[in-house]
Amino acid sequence: MNGKREKTQAHGAGRVLSYEPLTIHCDACDCDYGSWEAFGRHVDEIVRRPPSTRKEAVMDSIADHLGDIDAEDGLDPYLTDAGRIKCGCLMEFPDITAWREHLAGLILERLDMVASPADPSPEAER
């Protein structure tokens, strides 16, 4: 599961198991919460959690800004009627260079969020 959208979809659909006392269940984690507020904090924590590997950081960025491949529409980014590029994150860019800059910047930003491993060997990334 990669990107904020997928994580929110997987965890954000809590279902009520009981009303007295109130119990909301997260199917993705198989956990119960005593209020919608507690369940919301759980979802927020999942979405805000920094990536644990460089690969996960890049995959999250791609998922959030390119979306899923759809048989009819392809990926999420598209050209607007005004000829601008609309990213999967809903930001618009005047040209392909600006959009690529946006993608490169966010990937670098996500990579910076990854904690440095004690052993920076390539095997640590797998």
Side-chain angles (χ1 to χ4, degrees):
M1 174 175 6
N2 297 101
K4 292 178 181 179
R5 188 180 338 180
E6 275 188 27
K7 291 173 185 176
T8 300
Q9 287 174 348
H11 294 268
R15 59 188 170 95
V16 176
L17 294 181
S18 69
Y19 288 98
E20 290 294 329
L22 181 62
T23 305
I24 296 99
H25 185 75
C26 177
D27 288 330
C29 296
D30 198 29
C31 295
D32 295 335
Y33 299 89
S35 69
W36 283 109
E37 182 180 353
F39 176 73
R41 282 194 302 271
H42 159 70
V43 174
D44 287 346
E45 185 222 305
I46 296 289
V47 170
R48 290 185 183 138
R49 185 178 299 150
S52 56
T53 66
R54 294 172 59 82
K55 182 178 180 180
E56 182 183 355
V58 173
M59 289 175 66
D60 282 350
S61 299
I62 290 170
D64 285 340
H65 295 266
L66 296 182
D68 295 326
I69 295 176
D70 182 287
E72 292 180 20
D73 299 325
L75 294 169
D76 284 353
Y78 64 91
L79 286 176
T80 67
D81 293 339
R84 295 173 59 85
I85 297 171
K86 189 158 193 171
C87 186
C89 70
L90 304 182
M91 290 180 64
E92 288 189 21
F93 300 91
D95 56 41
I96 192 71
T97 302
W99 181 64
R100 287 177 179 156
E101 245 176 48
H102 165 69
L103 291 177
L106 70 93
I107 289 170
L108 291 171
E109 183 180 306
R110 292 292 291 183
L111 286 172
D112 286 345
M113 295 173 70
V114 179
S116 297
D119 174 18
S121 65
E123 290 78 30
E125 284 291 310
R126 293 182 192 167

